[in-house]
Amino acid sequence: MYNVTRGDFLKELQRAYFSCDLHKRHLHYHDCHQLILIVKGEIRVKVGKTSFCAQGGQLLMFSRYENHSLEILSQDYERYVIHISPSADMLYSVLSNRPEGFSNIIELGVEFNSFKAFFERLCTEFSSDKWLREDMLELLLKELMIMLRRVIPYREINCENALIVSSIQRLFENEYQNRYTLSYL
């Protein structure tokens, strides 16, 4: 298992690692988006009041501050985990845009091997000290957002409205402690 935490080099990517840790993760949330690619094994996931099982070949997506817990159900559990900070870049909106019928579990099907190879590459680059590492990670993150856009059903929305909603969402995420009125927004 390798596990490297965020440096000051790239604000979007906080953590990226591979793990076969079998400890239960009690209800928690992160100050970032979390992607978990299940390589093998089975887990029970609870998101809010919803509970479901996930297994190897599937991708889990949790938004910033989304309460979730994980219970490992098999001894051969392996996963890749990536933590990504919210970004103003519209490409990253795939992490927070929750169209009607959205599920935290994404069936990758024939795309699984591509995602697995990609996650391995991203985690390896994250834990390296190679020259131009930051530039490569920035490119890899953009590629990941495109890969996600291609596997997640996406509902086209009006660009002008999307920018307004995105700016309000960033305001809430960055200054969540403030009280807002509708007239202010």
Side-chain angles (χ1 to χ4, degrees), residues 71-100:
E71 180 184 356
I72 291 79
L73 301 175
S74 59
Q75 293 298 314
D76 63 345
Y77 177 63
E78 293 179 357
R79 70 187 179 278
Y80 286 97
V81 180
I82 297 175
H83 290 182
I84 303 170
S85 294
S87 172
D89 188 326
M90 285 298 288
L91 192 56
Y92 287 78
S93 68
V94 69
L95 299 172
S96 53
N97 182 14
R98 300 301 174 97
E100 188 176 330

Side-chain angles (χ1 to χ4, degrees), residues 123-180:
C123 289
T124 300
E125 189 70 35
F126 186 79
S127 63
S128 80
D129 60 356
K130 291 180 180 178
W131 186 57
L132 297 173
R133 170 182 174 231
E134 297 83 11
D135 296 307
M136 180 59 79
L137 287 169
E138 186 176 350
L139 290 171
L140 288 172
L141 276 175
K142 288 192 183 247
E143 184 177 346
L144 177 60
M145 296 307 111
I146 292 168
M147 290 171 69
L148 289 171
R149 279 265 189 240
R150 291 178 175 173
V151 297
I152 297 172
Y154 181 70
R155 179 176 48 124
E156 288 296 324
I157 53 178
N158 176 304
C159 279
E160 183 180 329
N161 290 343
L163 291 173
I164 293 169
V165 169
S166 178
S167 65
I168 292 171
Q169 186 174 17
R170 276 194 312 281
L171 179 70
F172 287 162
E173 288 176 344
N174 294 327
E175 300 176 32
Y176 58 87
Q177 71 280 3
N178 294 341
R179 293 186 148 210
Y180 299 98

